Amino acid sequence: MFLFYLDEHGESSMKVDPSDPKRIASDVSPYFTLSAVGIRDSVRKPFADALFETKKRHFGDSIEEAEWGDSEIKGRHLRRTFVSVSNGKVNRNPPAYSVIKTQRAAEHLFDDLGLLIAKFRPLIFTAIVDKQRLLTTRGESFHNPIGVAYALIHERIALALEKLYVGESAIIIADQQKQHEKFFREGGMNEMRNRVSAPLRVQPNFDLILDKPLWLDTDLSSWDRELLQIADMVAYSSATCVEDGRAPEASHYLWPQMKNSMAVHWRNGDVNQAGFTVFPRSATHYPET
């Protein structure tokens, strides 16, 4: 059984420019990203334990008594730390990061996080919705970035399980999100999945994935909230990759390790349209990953 930990980056709003209804408004993000990081259920405890021990090694034993959010690993926290120490400053938000005072200390943290990904080799899927292209090339029935992104994640996971990991099935685990939960509860997921997968020559077997995510309360969780941090980092770095049009190079993005863990297409061994998917599809849209 695969457990896929899922997190998002960017806004799902399809708000348009008041002066041009064919353009996404400048005050909302142009992309919406969902990333799913999959592990076999037998790896859940050792991976979570290793991640927490890495945090203790870099932030100190005091994180055991502090609020979990004070030492939460997120892509934007790693970037803020990278920028701070590069400028001779200290990132004090969240509080645990204040002990990372030098570039060397920051690089050690990034190296150890990258080593965890390289060691446990999770199976990574990222779905990125280009909202501007969605607005101009697809009808209103597709104008739901949350729905499209979830449909793509389900589609890519189902095809990988059927073609490459025969005999496996999957559960998606996600942080509580009222908007996302409402989408599943009202039946929007099935409708969007059918729309997105309709053009495929090979139809995914969606029965291989539990029909809706297991919604996680991070206040009550321990192992699973640790593993959700990996999904946040992947979503952040994947979004940066598309926004910049090239693979992110700074060490805090951990891109080489993430790229090596992205699922490959069963026909050509490429991550594009497999572990790394952009919708609507464009031959020129994919960055050099």
Short mmCIF file of all heavy atoms in Angstrom, two decimals, residues 177-241:
data_model
loop_
_atom_site.label_atom_id
_atom_site.label_comp_id
_atom_site.label_asym_id
_atom_site.label_seq_id
_atom_site.Cartn_x
_atom_site.Cartn_y
_atom_site.Cartn_z
N GLN A 177 -8.57 20.89 4.68
CA GLN A 177 -8.86 22.05 3.85
C GLN A 177 -10.36 22.04 3.56
O GLN A 177 -10.83 21.18 2.81
CB GLN A 177 -8.08 22.00 2.53
CG GLN A 177 -6.58 22.14 2.67
CD GLN A 177 -6.15 23.60 2.74
OE1 GLN A 177 -7.00 24.50 2.70
NE2 GLN A 177 -4.86 23.84 2.85
N LYS A 178 -11.10 22.98 4.13
CA LYS A 178 -12.56 22.98 3.97
C LYS A 178 -12.97 23.04 2.51
O LYS A 178 -13.91 22.37 2.08
CB LYS A 178 -13.16 24.14 4.74
CG LYS A 178 -13.08 23.99 6.26
CD LYS A 178 -13.75 25.14 6.98
CE LYS A 178 -13.69 24.96 8.47
NZ LYS A 178 -14.33 26.08 9.21
N GLN A 179 -12.27 23.86 1.72
CA GLN A 179 -12.62 24.00 0.32
C GLN A 179 -12.40 22.70 -0.43
O GLN A 179 -13.23 22.30 -1.27
CB GLN A 179 -11.78 25.12 -0.31
CG GLN A 179 -12.24 25.53 -1.71
CD GLN A 179 -11.42 26.69 -2.25
OE1 GLN A 179 -10.42 27.12 -1.65
NE2 GLN A 179 -11.84 27.23 -3.38
N HIS A 180 -11.31 22.01 -0.13
CA HIS A 180 -11.03 20.74 -0.79
C HIS A 180 -12.03 19.67 -0.37
O HIS A 180 -12.53 18.90 -1.21
CB HIS A 180 -9.61 20.27 -0.45
CG HIS A 180 -8.53 21.18 -0.95
ND1 HIS A 180 -7.23 20.76 -1.10
CD2 HIS A 180 -8.55 22.47 -1.35
CE1 HIS A 180 -6.48 21.75 -1.54
NE2 HIS A 180 -7.27 22.81 -1.69
N GLU A 181 -12.31 19.61 0.93
CA GLU A 181 -13.24 18.61 1.44
C GLU A 181 -14.63 18.80 0.83
O GLU A 181 -15.31 17.82 0.48
CB GLU A 181 -13.30 18.68 2.96
CG GLU A 181 -12.01 18.27 3.64
CD GLU A 181 -12.09 18.39 5.15
OE1 GLU A 181 -13.06 17.88 5.73
OE2 GLU A 181 -11.19 19.01 5.75
N LYS A 182 -15.05 20.04 0.69
CA LYS A 182 -16.36 20.33 0.09
C LYS A 182 -16.42 19.85 -1.35
O LYS A 182 -17.43 19.29 -1.79
CB LYS A 182 -16.63 21.84 0.15
CG LYS A 182 -17.97 22.25 -0.44
CD LYS A 182 -18.17 23.77 -0.36
CE LYS A 182 -19.49 24.16 -0.99
NZ LYS A 182 -19.68 25.64 -0.96
N PHE A 183 -15.32 20.03 -2.08
CA PHE A 183 -15.26 19.60 -3.48
C PHE A 183 -15.48 18.09 -3.60
O PHE A 183 -16.24 17.63 -4.46
CB PHE A 183 -13.89 19.99 -4.05
CG PHE A 183 -13.65 19.51 -5.45
CD1 PHE A 183 -14.33 20.05 -6.52
CD2 PHE A 183 -12.72 18.51 -5.69
CE1 PHE A 183 -14.11 19.60 -7.81
CE2 PHE A 183 -12.48 18.06 -6.97
CZ PHE A 183 -13.17 18.61 -8.03
N PHE A 184 -14.87 17.32 -2.73
CA PHE A 184 -15.05 15.86 -2.75
C PHE A 184 -16.44 15.49 -2.29
O PHE A 184 -17.11 14.64 -2.88
CB PHE A 184 -14.00 15.19 -1.87
CG PHE A 184 -12.68 14.97 -2.54
CD1 PHE A 184 -11.73 15.97 -2.57
CD2 PHE A 184 -12.39 13.76 -3.16
CE1 PHE A 184 -10.51 15.78 -3.18
CE2 PHE A 184 -11.17 13.55 -3.77
CZ PHE A 184 -10.22 14.56 -3.79
N ARG A 185 -16.89 16.11 -1.22
CA ARG A 185 -18.18 15.76 -0.62
C ARG A 185 -19.33 15.99 -1.58
O ARG A 185 -20.30 15.23 -1.59
CB ARG A 185 -18.38 16.58 0.66
CG ARG A 185 -19.59 16.18 1.47
CD ARG A 185 -19.62 16.86 2.84
NE ARG A 185 -19.62 18.32 2.74
CZ ARG A 185 -18.58 19.09 3.05
NH1 ARG A 185 -17.46 18.56 3.48
NH2 ARG A 185 -18.66 20.41 2.95
N GLU A 186 -19.23 17.03 -2.41
CA GLU A 186 -20.33 17.36 -3.33
C GLU A 186 -20.22 16.66 -4.68
O GLU A 186 -21.00 16.94 -5.59
CB GLU A 186 -20.37 18.88 -3.51
CG GLU A 186 -20.73 19.63 -2.23
CD GLU A 186 -20.79 21.13 -2.41
OE1 GLU A 186 -20.36 21.62 -3.49
OE2 GLU A 186 -21.26 21.82 -1.48
N GLY A 187 -19.25 15.77 -4.83
CA GLY A 187 -19.16 14.96 -6.05
C GLY A 187 -18.40 15.60 -7.18
O GLY A 187 -18.36 15.05 -8.30
N GLY A 188 -17.76 16.75 -6.93
CA GLY A 188 -17.04 17.42 -8.00
C GLY A 188 -15.83 16.66 -8.50
O GLY A 188 -15.46 16.78 -9.67
N MET A 189 -15.23 15.85 -7.62
CA MET A 189 -14.02 15.13 -8.00
C MET A 189 -14.27 14.14 -9.13
O MET A 189 -13.53 14.09 -10.12
CB MET A 189 -13.45 14.40 -6.79
CG MET A 189 -12.19 13.64 -7.08
SD MET A 189 -10.86 14.71 -7.67
CE MET A 189 -9.64 13.49 -8.10
N ASN A 190 -15.32 13.35 -9.03
CA ASN A 190 -15.61 12.36 -10.06
C ASN A 190 -15.87 13.03 -11.41
O ASN A 190 -15.39 12.56 -12.46
CB ASN A 190 -16.82 11.50 -9.67
CG ASN A 190 -16.48 10.53 -8.56
OD1 ASN A 190 -15.31 10.25 -8.30
ND2 ASN A 190 -17.50 10.02 -7.90
N GLU A 191 -16.61 14.12 -11.39
CA GLU A 191 -16.92 14.83 -12.64
C GLU A 191 -15.64 15.37 -13.28
O GLU A 191 -15.44 15.23 -14.49
CB GLU A 191 -17.90 15.97 -12.36
CG GLU A 191 -19.26 15.51 -11.87
CD GLU A 191 -20.16 16.68 -11.51
OE1 GLU A 191 -19.80 17.83 -11.84
OE2 GLU A 191 -21.21 16.45 -10.89
N MET A 192 -14.79 16.01 -12.49
CA MET A 192 -13.58 16.58 -13.05
C MET A 192 -12.61 15.50 -13.52
O MET A 192 -11.94 15.66 -14.55
CB MET A 192 -12.90 17.48 -12.01
CG MET A 192 -11.70 18.24 -12.56
SD MET A 192 -12.13 19.40 -13.90
CE MET A 192 -12.88 20.73 -12.94
N ARG A 193 -12.53 14.43 -12.79
CA ARG A 193 -11.65 13.33 -13.19
C ARG A 193 -12.04 12.79 -14.55
O ARG A 193 -11.20 12.51 -15.40
CB ARG A 193 -11.73 12.21 -12.13
CG ARG A 193 -10.41 11.80 -11.59
CD ARG A 193 -10.49 10.89 -10.40
NE ARG A 193 -11.60 9.96 -10.31
CZ ARG A 193 -11.77 9.13 -9.29
NH1 ARG A 193 -10.90 9.13 -8.29
NH2 ARG A 193 -12.79 8.33 -9.23
N ASN A 194 -13.34 12.66 -14.77
CA ASN A 194 -13.82 12.15 -16.05
C ASN A 194 -13.49 13.12 -17.19
O ASN A 194 -13.12 12.71 -18.29
CB ASN A 194 -15.33 11.91 -16.00
CG ASN A 194 -15.69 10.74 -15.10
OD1 ASN A 194 -14.87 9.86 -14.84
ND2 ASN A 194 -16.92 10.73 -14.60
N ARG A 195 -13.62 14.43 -16.93
CA ARG A 195 -13.31 15.42 -17.96
C ARG A 195 -11.82 15.40 -18.31
O ARG A 195 -11.44 15.41 -19.49
CB ARG A 195 -13.69 16.82 -17.50
CG ARG A 195 -15.17 17.07 -17.33
CD ARG A 195 -15.46 18.55 -17.14
NE ARG A 195 -16.80 18.74 -16.60
CZ ARG A 195 -17.07 19.14 -15.37
NH1 ARG A 195 -16.08 19.40 -14.53
NH2 ARG A 195 -18.31 19.29 -14.95
N VAL A 196 -10.99 15.40 -17.30
CA VAL A 196 -9.54 15.49 -17.53
C VAL A 196 -8.99 14.24 -18.20
O VAL A 196 -8.12 14.31 -19.07
CB VAL A 196 -8.81 15.76 -16.19
CG1 VAL A 196 -7.30 15.65 -16.36
CG2 VAL A 196 -9.17 17.15 -15.68
N SER A 197 -9.48 13.07 -17.81
CA SER A 197 -8.93 11.82 -18.35
C SER A 197 -9.59 11.37 -19.64
O SER A 197 -9.11 10.44 -20.29
CB SER A 197 -9.06 10.70 -17.31
OG SER A 197 -10.43 10.43 -17.02
N ALA A 198 -10.67 12.02 -20.07
CA ALA A 198 -11.40 11.59 -21.27
C ALA A 198 -10.52 11.45 -22.51
O ALA A 198 -10.68 10.50 -23.28
CB ALA A 198 -12.55 12.55 -21.54
N PRO A 199 -9.55 12.38 -22.79
CA PRO A 199 -8.75 12.25 -24.02
C PRO A 199 -7.68 11.16 -23.98
O PRO A 199 -7.06 10.88 -25.01
CB PRO A 199 -8.09 13.63 -24.14
CG PRO A 199 -8.79 14.53 -23.19
CD PRO A 199 -9.28 13.64 -22.10
N LEU A 200 -7.45 10.56 -22.82
CA LEU A 200 -6.36 9.59 -22.71
C LEU A 200 -6.64 8.32 -23.50
O LEU A 200 -7.77 7.81 -23.50
CB LEU A 200 -6.12 9.22 -21.24
CG LEU A 200 -5.65 10.34 -20.32
CD1 LEU A 200 -5.48 9.80 -18.90
CD2 LEU A 200 -4.36 10.96 -20.80
N ARG A 201 -5.61 7.80 -24.15
CA ARG A 201 -5.76 6.53 -24.86
C ARG A 201 -5.92 5.38 -23.89
O ARG A 201 -6.65 4.42 -24.15
CB ARG A 201 -4.54 6.29 -25.75
CG ARG A 201 -4.37 7.29 -26.88
CD ARG A 201 -3.12 6.99 -27.67
NE ARG A 201 -2.91 7.97 -28.73
CZ ARG A 201 -1.85 7.98 -29.53
NH1 ARG A 201 -0.89 7.06 -29.37
NH2 ARG A 201 -1.73 8.91 -30.48
N VAL A 202 -5.20 5.46 -22.78
CA VAL A 202 -5.30 4.44 -21.74
C VAL A 202 -6.01 5.06 -20.54
O VAL A 202 -5.52 6.02 -19.95
CB VAL A 202 -3.90 3.94 -21.32
CG1 VAL A 202 -4.01 2.92 -20.19
CG2 VAL A 202 -3.15 3.37 -22.50
N GLN A 203 -7.15 4.54 -20.20
CA GLN A 203 -7.93 5.10 -19.10
C GLN A 203 -7.42 4.57 -17.75
O GLN A 203 -7.20 3.37 -17.59
CB GLN A 203 -9.40 4.76 -19.27
CG GLN A 203 -10.09 5.55 -20.37
CD GLN A 203 -10.10 7.05 -20.07
OE1 GLN A 203 -10.57 7.48 -19.03
NE2 GLN A 203 -9.58 7.83 -21.00
N PRO A 204 -7.23 5.46 -16.79
CA PRO A 204 -6.74 5.03 -15.48
C PRO A 204 -7.78 4.19 -14.74
O PRO A 204 -8.98 4.39 -14.90
CB PRO A 204 -6.50 6.35 -14.74
CG PRO A 204 -6.53 7.42 -15.79
CD PRO A 204 -7.41 6.92 -16.87
N ASN A 205 -7.29 3.29 -13.91
CA ASN A 205 -8.16 2.52 -13.03
C ASN A 205 -8.20 3.23 -11.68
O ASN A 205 -7.36 3.00 -10.82
CB ASN A 205 -7.63 1.09 -12.88
CG ASN A 205 -8.49 0.25 -11.95
OD1 ASN A 205 -9.55 0.70 -11.49
ND2 ASN A 205 -8.06 -0.94 -11.66
N PHE A 206 -9.17 4.11 -11.51
CA PHE A 206 -9.24 4.92 -10.31
C PHE A 206 -9.60 4.12 -9.06
O PHE A 206 -9.47 4.62 -7.94
CB PHE A 206 -10.22 6.08 -10.49
CG PHE A 206 -9.76 7.11 -11.48
CD1 PHE A 206 -10.50 7.39 -12.63
CD2 PHE A 206 -8.58 7.80 -11.27
CE1 PHE A 206 -10.08 8.34 -13.53
CE2 PHE A 206 -8.14 8.76 -12.17
CZ PHE A 206 -8.88 9.03 -13.31
N ASP A 207 -10.03 2.88 -9.24
CA ASP A 207 -10.31 2.03 -8.08
C ASP A 207 -9.06 1.73 -7.28
O ASP A 207 -9.14 1.30 -6.12
CB ASP A 207 -10.94 0.71 -8.53
CG ASP A 207 -12.37 0.88 -9.03
OD1 ASP A 207 -13.01 1.86 -8.61
OD2 ASP A 207 -12.83 0.04 -9.83
N LEU A 208 -7.90 1.97 -7.87
CA LEU A 208 -6.64 1.71 -7.17
C LEU A 208 -6.34 2.75 -6.10
O LEU A 208 -5.42 2.58 -5.30
CB LEU A 208 -5.48 1.68 -8.18
CG LEU A 208 -5.51 0.52 -9.19
CD1 LEU A 208 -4.45 0.73 -10.26
CD2 LEU A 208 -5.29 -0.81 -8.47
N ILE A 209 -7.11 3.86 -6.08
CA ILE A 209 -6.90 4.93 -5.12
C ILE A 209 -8.17 5.11 -4.29
O ILE A 209 -9.27 5.13 -4.84
CB ILE A 209 -6.58 6.26 -5.83
CG1 ILE A 209 -5.42 6.09 -6.81
CG2 ILE A 209 -6.25 7.35 -4.82
CD1 ILE A 209 -5.19 7.30 -7.69
N LEU A 210 -8.03 5.22 -2.99
CA LEU A 210 -9.19 5.50 -2.15
C LEU A 210 -9.89 6.75 -2.66
O LEU A 210 -9.24 7.73 -3.02
CB LEU A 210 -8.73 5.71 -0.70
CG LEU A 210 -9.83 5.64 0.36
CD1 LEU A 210 -10.37 4.22 0.47
CD2 LEU A 210 -9.29 6.09 1.72
N ASP A 211 -11.21 6.75 -2.69
CA ASP A 211 -11.97 7.75 -3.43
C ASP A 211 -11.77 9.18 -2.96
O ASP A 211 -11.95 10.13 -3.72
CB ASP A 211 -13.47 7.41 -3.42
CG ASP A 211 -14.07 7.44 -2.03
OD1 ASP A 211 -13.38 7.05 -1.08
OD2 ASP A 211 -15.23 7.86 -1.88
N LYS A 212 -11.40 9.39 -1.71
CA LYS A 212 -11.12 10.75 -1.23
C LYS A 212 -9.97 10.70 -0.23
O LYS A 212 -9.69 9.66 0.37
CB LYS A 212 -12.36 11.37 -0.59
CG LYS A 212 -12.91 10.63 0.62
CD LYS A 212 -14.18 11.32 1.13
CE LYS A 212 -14.77 10.56 2.31
NZ LYS A 212 -16.00 11.22 2.80
N PRO A 213 -9.29 11.83 -0.03
CA PRO A 213 -8.16 11.83 0.89
C PRO A 213 -8.55 11.56 2.33
O PRO A 213 -9.69 11.79 2.74
CB PRO A 213 -7.59 13.25 0.75
CG PRO A 213 -8.07 13.74 -0.58
CD PRO A 213 -9.43 13.11 -0.75
N LEU A 214 -7.58 11.10 3.08
CA LEU A 214 -7.69 11.04 4.54
C LEU A 214 -7.25 12.41 5.04
O LEU A 214 -6.10 12.81 4.87
CB LEU A 214 -6.78 9.95 5.09
CG LEU A 214 -6.66 9.86 6.61
CD1 LEU A 214 -8.01 9.54 7.25
CD2 LEU A 214 -5.62 8.81 7.00
N TRP A 215 -8.20 13.18 5.59
CA TRP A 215 -7.90 14.55 6.01
C TRP A 215 -7.22 14.52 7.37
O TRP A 215 -7.76 13.97 8.34
CB TRP A 215 -9.18 15.39 6.06
CG TRP A 215 -9.95 15.35 4.78
CD1 TRP A 215 -11.14 14.74 4.55
CD2 TRP A 215 -9.57 15.94 3.53
NE1 TRP A 215 -11.54 14.91 3.26
CE2 TRP A 215 -10.59 15.64 2.60
CE3 TRP A 215 -8.47 16.68 3.10
CZ2 TRP A 215 -10.56 16.06 1.28
CZ3 TRP A 215 -8.42 17.10 1.78
CH2 TRP A 215 -9.45 16.79 0.89
N LEU A 216 -6.08 15.16 7.47
CA LEU A 216 -5.22 15.06 8.64
C LEU A 216 -5.34 16.30 9.53
O LEU A 216 -5.34 17.42 9.03
CB LEU A 216 -3.76 14.91 8.17
CG LEU A 216 -2.71 14.64 9.23
CD1 LEU A 216 -2.91 13.26 9.83
CD2 LEU A 216 -1.32 14.75 8.61
N ASP A 217 -5.42 16.09 10.84
CA ASP A 217 -5.37 17.17 11.82
C ASP A 217 -3.94 17.19 12.38
O ASP A 217 -3.56 16.30 13.15
CB ASP A 217 -6.39 16.93 12.94
CG ASP A 217 -6.46 18.10 13.92
OD1 ASP A 217 -5.51 18.90 13.96
OD2 ASP A 217 -7.46 18.18 14.66
N THR A 218 -3.15 18.19 12.00
CA THR A 218 -1.75 18.21 12.41
C THR A 218 -1.58 18.42 13.91
O THR A 218 -0.51 18.16 14.46
CB THR A 218 -0.97 19.30 11.65
OG1 THR A 218 -1.62 20.57 11.82
CG2 THR A 218 -0.90 18.97 10.17
N ASP A 219 -2.62 18.89 14.60
CA ASP A 219 -2.53 19.03 16.06
C ASP A 219 -2.58 17.68 16.76
O ASP A 219 -2.10 17.54 17.89
CB ASP A 219 -3.68 19.91 16.58
CG ASP A 219 -3.53 21.36 16.18
OD1 ASP A 219 -2.37 21.80 15.98
OD2 ASP A 219 -4.55 22.06 16.07
N LEU A 220 -3.16 16.71 16.10
CA LEU A 220 -3.31 15.38 16.70
C LEU A 220 -2.34 14.37 16.13
O LEU A 220 -2.14 13.29 16.70
CB LEU A 220 -4.75 14.88 16.51
CG LEU A 220 -5.86 15.77 17.07
CD1 LEU A 220 -7.23 15.19 16.71
CD2 LEU A 220 -5.72 15.94 18.57
N SER A 221 -1.74 14.68 15.00
CA SER A 221 -0.87 13.75 14.30
C SER A 221 0.55 13.84 14.83
O SER A 221 0.94 14.80 15.48
CB SER A 221 -0.89 14.07 12.81
OG SER A 221 0.20 13.47 12.15
N SER A 222 1.36 12.84 14.51
CA SER A 222 2.79 12.90 14.82
C SER A 222 3.59 12.50 13.58
O SER A 222 4.19 13.34 12.92
CB SER A 222 3.14 12.02 16.02
OG SER A 222 2.68 10.70 15.82
N TRP A 223 3.57 11.23 13.23
CA TRP A 223 4.32 10.78 12.06
C TRP A 223 3.85 11.47 10.78
O TRP A 223 4.65 11.94 9.98
CB TRP A 223 4.18 9.27 11.87
CG TRP A 223 4.76 8.45 12.98
CD1 TRP A 223 5.65 8.86 13.93
CD2 TRP A 223 4.46 7.08 13.25
NE1 TRP A 223 5.93 7.82 14.78
CE2 TRP A 223 5.22 6.70 14.39
CE3 TRP A 223 3.64 6.12 12.65
CZ2 TRP A 223 5.17 5.42 14.93
CZ3 TRP A 223 3.60 4.84 13.18
CH2 TRP A 223 4.36 4.50 14.31
N ASP A 224 2.53 11.53 10.59
CA ASP A 224 2.00 12.00 9.32
C ASP A 224 2.24 13.50 9.09
O ASP A 224 2.47 13.93 7.97
CB ASP A 224 0.51 11.66 9.20
CG ASP A 224 0.28 10.17 9.25
OD1 ASP A 224 0.89 9.46 8.42
OD2 ASP A 224 -0.47 9.70 10.12
N ARG A 225 2.19 14.29 10.15
CA ARG A 225 2.45 15.71 9.96
C ARG A 225 3.91 15.95 9.61
O ARG A 225 4.25 16.91 8.91
CB ARG A 225 2.06 16.50 11.20
CG ARG A 225 2.93 16.30 12.42
CD ARG A 225 2.42 17.11 13.59
NE ARG A 225 3.25 16.95 14.79
CZ ARG A 225 2.96 17.49 15.97
NH1 ARG A 225 1.85 18.22 16.10
NH2 ARG A 225 3.75 17.31 17.00
N GLU A 226 4.80 15.07 10.06
CA GLU A 226 6.20 15.19 9.66
C GLU A 226 6.33 14.92 8.16
O GLU A 226 7.02 15.65 7.44
CB GLU A 226 7.08 14.21 10.45
CG GLU A 226 7.15 14.47 11.94
CD GLU A 226 7.79 15.82 12.29
OE1 GLU A 226 8.65 16.29 11.52
OE2 GLU A 226 7.42 16.40 13.32
N LEU A 227 5.67 13.91 7.68
CA LEU A 227 5.80 13.53 6.28
C LEU A 227 5.12 14.53 5.35
O LEU A 227 5.54 14.70 4.20
CB LEU A 227 5.23 12.12 6.08
CG LEU A 227 6.04 11.04 6.82
CD1 LEU A 227 5.30 9.71 6.83
CD2 LEU A 227 7.42 10.88 6.21
N LEU A 228 4.09 15.21 5.84
CA LEU A 228 3.46 16.25 5.04
C LEU A 228 4.44 17.38 4.69
O LEU A 228 4.28 18.06 3.68
CB LEU A 228 2.26 16.84 5.77
CG LEU A 228 0.89 16.19 5.55
CD1 LEU A 228 -0.15 16.87 6.44
CD2 LEU A 228 0.47 16.28 4.09
N GLN A 229 5.46 17.55 5.51
CA GLN A 229 6.44 18.60 5.26
C GLN A 229 7.19 18.38 3.95
O GLN A 229 7.55 19.32 3.24
CB GLN A 229 7.45 18.68 6.42
CG GLN A 229 6.82 19.07 7.75
CD GLN A 229 7.79 18.90 8.90
OE1 GLN A 229 8.22 19.87 9.50
NE2 GLN A 229 8.17 17.67 9.20
N ILE A 230 7.42 17.11 3.61
CA ILE A 230 8.11 16.80 2.35
C ILE A 230 7.26 17.25 1.18
O ILE A 230 7.76 17.83 0.20
CB ILE A 230 8.42 15.30 2.25
CG1 ILE A 230 9.23 14.82 3.45
CG2 ILE A 230 9.15 15.00 0.95
CD1 ILE A 230 10.62 15.39 3.54
N ALA A 231 5.95 17.03 1.26
CA ALA A 231 5.05 17.44 0.18
C ALA A 231 5.04 18.95 0.01
O ALA A 231 4.98 19.46 -1.11
CB ALA A 231 3.64 16.92 0.45
N ASP A 232 5.10 19.68 1.12
CA ASP A 232 5.16 21.15 1.03
C ASP A 232 6.42 21.59 0.30
O ASP A 232 6.38 22.47 -0.57
CB ASP A 232 5.12 21.76 2.43
CG ASP A 232 5.23 23.28 2.39
OD1 ASP A 232 6.37 23.80 2.32
OD2 ASP A 232 4.18 23.95 2.41
N MET A 233 7.55 20.99 0.65
CA MET A 233 8.81 21.36 0.00
C MET A 233 8.78 21.07 -1.50
O MET A 233 9.25 21.87 -2.31
CB MET A 233 9.98 20.63 0.66
CG MET A 233 10.30 21.10 2.06
SD MET A 233 11.83 20.37 2.72
CE MET A 233 11.26 18.72 3.11
N VAL A 234 8.20 19.93 -1.86
CA VAL A 234 8.11 19.57 -3.27
C VAL A 234 7.21 20.54 -4.03
O VAL A 234 7.55 20.99 -5.13
CB VAL A 234 7.60 18.12 -3.44
CG1 VAL A 234 7.33 17.81 -4.91
CG2 VAL A 234 8.60 17.12 -2.87
N ALA A 235 6.06 20.88 -3.44
CA ALA A 235 5.15 21.81 -4.10
C ALA A 235 5.80 23.18 -4.29
O ALA A 235 5.67 23.80 -5.36
CB ALA A 235 3.86 21.95 -3.29
N TYR A 236 6.52 23.64 -3.29
CA TYR A 236 7.18 24.94 -3.36
C TYR A 236 8.24 24.95 -4.47
O TYR A 236 8.29 25.87 -5.29
CB TYR A 236 7.82 25.27 -2.02
CG TYR A 236 8.38 26.67 -1.93
CD1 TYR A 236 7.57 27.74 -1.56
CD2 TYR A 236 9.72 26.92 -2.19
CE1 TYR A 236 8.08 29.04 -1.46
CE2 TYR A 236 10.24 28.20 -2.10
CZ TYR A 236 9.42 29.25 -1.74
OH TYR A 236 9.93 30.52 -1.65
N SER A 237 9.07 23.94 -4.50
CA SER A 237 10.14 23.89 -5.51
C SER A 237 9.59 23.67 -6.91
O SER A 237 10.09 24.23 -7.88
CB SER A 237 11.14 22.78 -5.15
OG SER A 237 11.79 23.06 -3.93
N SER A 238 8.53 22.86 -7.03
CA SER A 238 7.92 22.61 -8.34
C SER A 238 7.30 23.89 -8.90
O SER A 238 7.43 24.19 -10.09
CB SER A 238 6.85 21.53 -8.22
OG SER A 238 7.41 20.29 -7.82
N ALA A 239 6.62 24.65 -8.03
CA ALA A 239 6.03 25.91 -8.47
C ALA A 239 7.12 26.88 -8.92
O ALA A 239 6.97 27.57 -9.94
CB ALA A 239 5.21 26.53 -7.33
N THR A 240 8.23 26.92 -8.19
CA THR A 240 9.34 27.79 -8.57
C THR A 240 9.90 27.38 -9.92
O THR A 240 10.25 28.24 -10.75
CB THR A 240 10.45 27.72 -7.50
OG1 THR A 240 9.92 28.15 -6.25
CG2 THR A 240 11.62 28.61 -7.87
N CYS A 241 9.96 26.10 -10.17
CA CYS A 241 10.48 25.58 -11.44
C CYS A 241 9.67 26.11 -12.62
O CYS A 241 10.22 26.56 -13.62
CB CYS A 241 10.45 24.05 -11.42
SG CYS A 241 11.17 23.25 -12.86
#
